[in-house]
Amino acid sequence: MTAYPHWTPASRPGIVPLHPLSFGTILGRSFVALRQNPRVLLGFALVVQVVAYLVVIAAVAAVTVAAFSRLDTLRPGSDEFETVLAGSTALVIVTGLILGLAAGALTVIVQGVVVVEVARAVVAEKRTLGEIWRAVKPIAWRLIGYSLLLSAVAVAGIAIAVGVVVVLATVALPVAIVFGILFVLAAIPLVWWLMIKLLLAPAIIIMERATIRSAIVRSWTLVRGRFWSSLGVILLISMIFGALGQVISIPFSLLATGITTVITPTGEVDTTAIIGFIVATFASYALLFVVQAVAVVVQSSATALIYVDCRMRREGLDLDLLAYVDRRDAGATGLPDPYTQNIGRDMSGRFATPPPGAYPPAAYPQGAYPQSASPQGGYPPGAQPPAGYAPPPTGYAPPAGVPPYSGQPPQPYAHAAPAPAYAPDPSAPPSSPATPPHAAAPHTPEGEPDSAAGGSPTAPSPTSWTAPGGRADGGTP
């Protein structure tokens, strides 16, 4: 008999199994995704971020030189000098802030590329950078707009808080200090809460071609019920790369300080010391930059896997992915994107445990045979017996050796016991059981009566029958 297993693992064609993911799977596979296509993921992230930051540094440096060069024509200490100095400083700060936000917007493009690559890796598809960019390009401006919207909201919140602190400082300085401390303490959990609730918006914009508003609403809905696990994954990844950044920056900072101390022990300015300090600092920032690029890729991979997991749990995305993989492996072409199918479908109840009493108890206890007084000759209410089945008679019980009723139609039983081979002797005393004639008269194998026993000729016993030409003892004549 073949034993069929009660559970078989889901197919795993890609970097994750196609069923709802656990916390450890999301965290571990976020790092594995980087190994899946490092040239596209890490290479693209490094190039984009290097170009963005070089442009920001060059632009801020140019604005700084142009703004502060006007001070050379003014007398230090004059009112005009102070006014130009304040204006130049404000101009440099605003320029750096705007260009920093622009560089952050380009980071969202990196996240879009990573999300597309990880989503295709889930179904075991490896795309080139050109194919990924063709998928991201139509909605790139939408991603940038979403990033700038979040940045504008953050800047507005900070500006309002700073304005309140300044106003309070003119009235009561201690109150302003207390308000500033409370604002910072309240802003930390608020920022993390909003960041997790809106975590999936970029992935939704990319994978579902959603608008900014609908992406925010869907992210708010999909994260519901998975908030704490998502927060744990993102927070743990941030802590890992934060600790790694400290491990890299602290030794280089000590190295730069040591070089400066060894070369210039008296504290005098020396060109060699300045060059050594710049080299150590540059090496530290270069390594930190690589760590930051890896962190962006890993966190974006985690975001993509959280998006896939939330849709599996709420909308049954795993069923769509399995169907897509099966049809693709069978040779079908031109298949629709599974991530754009059944958006908004509610299948969140398929993993829920039924409450106690949700299923009715069995109509009959296990092993009990129903009586004919029950409907339809012993069938549970509502059940239909098979065609041709006759109910057993009233008071009927199965004979010995027949298994009790277990929910299947009972087999026809013989309602009468078979007749004995030999009828009892009516003249025998009631106290002695009837003895068959063949037991009262022993006989020889040939069927003749045993003279010593005084028996009469009788038919051979059925148990001592021999084939013609054979012997009763089983030997050969």
Side-chain angles (χ1 to χ4, degrees):
M1 180 181 295
T2 303
Y4 294 96
H6 295 286
W7 175 87
T8 55
S11 60
R12 181 181 164 185
I15 61 174
V16 293
L18 295 183
H19 59 69
L21 310 176
S22 63
F23 178 89
T25 301
I26 295 176
L27 182 62
R29 294 294 162 178
S30 300
F31 290 87
V32 173
L34 183 62
R35 253 179 357 187
Q36 177 78 8
N37 201 349
R39 181 179 300 178
V40 170
L41 298 182
L42 185 58
F44 182 78
L46 283 174
V47 169
V48 170
Q49 294 189 67
V50 165
V51 171
Y53 282 103
L54 287 179
V55 170
V56 170
I57 292 173
V60 171
V63 171
T64 302
V65 171
F68 286 96
S69 62
R70 296 182 300 167
L71 297 176
D72 296 337
T73 60
L74 302 175
R75 183 172 59 86
S78 62
D79 294 340
E80 188 178 5
F81 181 89
E82 297 295 334
T83 302
V84 172
L85 178 62
S88 300
T89 304
L91 179 62
V92 171
I93 292 175
V94 171
T95 303
L97 180 61
I98 294 175
L99 293 178
L101 294 177
L106 289 179
T107 304
V108 179
I109 301 298
V110 175
Q111 183 178 359
V113 171
V114 174
V115 167
V116 172
E117 167 59 26
V118 173
R120 306 324 302 184
V122 169
V123 290
E125 293 180 356
K126 192 173 183 179
R127 301 290 180 89
T128 63
L129 181 58
E131 294 173 340
I132 297 175
W133 177 246
R134 282 192 293 272
V136 175
K137 183 179 178 180
I139 42 88
W141 289 109
R142 200 175 300 171
L143 285 174
I144 295 175
Y146 170 76
S147 177
L148 293 178
L149 176 63
L150 293 185
S151 302
V153 172
V155 170
I158 294 174
I160 293 173
V162 171
V164 173
V165 170
V166 171
V167 172
L168 291 176
T170 58
V171 178
L173 183 59
V175 176
I177 295 175
V178 172
F179 176 81
I181 295 174
L182 293 178
F183 175 79
V184 172
L185 294 178
I188 294 174
L190 178 63
V191 168
W192 275 99
W193 180 71
L194 290 175
M195 183 176 68
I196 299 302
K197 296 297 287 185
L198 303 177
L199 178 68
L200 305 183
I204 293 171
I205 293 174
I206 298 164
M207 301 307 302
E208 302 176 12
R209 301 297 191 266
T211 61
I212 295 177
R213 181 182 178 279
S214 59
I216 292 174
V217 174
R218 268 188 59 77
S219 176
W220 207 279
T221 303
L222 288 177
V223 174
R224 188 178 303 154
R226 302 295 297 167
F227 177 85
W228 293 109
S229 61
S230 303
L231 174 63
V233 170
I234 300 301
L235 184 60
L236 191 55
I237 291 176
S238 302
M239 292 174 61
I240 290 173
F241 283 99
L244 184 60
Q246 293 297 322
V247 169
I248 292 175
S249 62
I250 291 176
F252 278 94
S253 300
L254 296 177
L255 179 62
T257 304
I259 291 175
T260 305
T261 304
V262 170
I263 296 178
T264 59
T266 59
E268 297 179 358
V269 179
D270 186 80
T271 305
T272 306
I274 294 175
I275 293 175
F277 180 81
I278 292 176
V279 169
T281 304
F282 179 78
S284 174
Y285 278 105
L287 290 177
L288 287 176
F289 191 81
V290 174
V291 171
Q292 181 181 358
V294 175
V296 169
V297 172
V298 173
Q299 188 166 334
S300 301
S301 301
T303 301
L305 294 180
I306 292 172
Y307 165 76
V308 172
D309 174 64
C310 290
R311 284 199 61 186
M312 284 180 176
R313 295 177 183 273
R314 181 172 290 272
E315 301 177 356
L317 178 63
D318 52 334
L319 305 179
D320 298 328
L321 296 179
L322 285 170
Y324 173 82
V325 170
D326 290 341
R327 295 177 62 189
R328 182 199 63 194
D329 293 345
T333 58
L335 297 175
D337 187 358
Y339 293 99
T340 60
Q341 305 299 308
N342 300 314
I343 296 175
R345 178 178 58 184
D346 187 9
M347 296 186 65
S348 57
R350 66 182 182 131
F351 297 108
T353 303
Y359 296 102
Y364 297 97
Q366 184 68 22
Y369 189 84
Q371 299 298 324
S372 61
S374 59
Q376 299 176 353
Y379 276 88
Q384 296 295 331
Y389 171 70
T394 304
Y396 176 77
V402 177
Y405 177 75
S406 59
Q408 299 296 330
Q411 300 296 326
Y413 298 121
H415 293 277
Y422 296 94
D425 188 359
S427 62
S431 59
S432 61
T435 304
H438 72 275
H443 53 273
T444 60
E446 289 77 9
E448 298 297 330
D450 190 352
S451 59
S456 59
T458 181
S461 169
T463 59
S464 61
W465 179 87
T466 57
R471 292 174 53 186
D473 58 358
T476 304

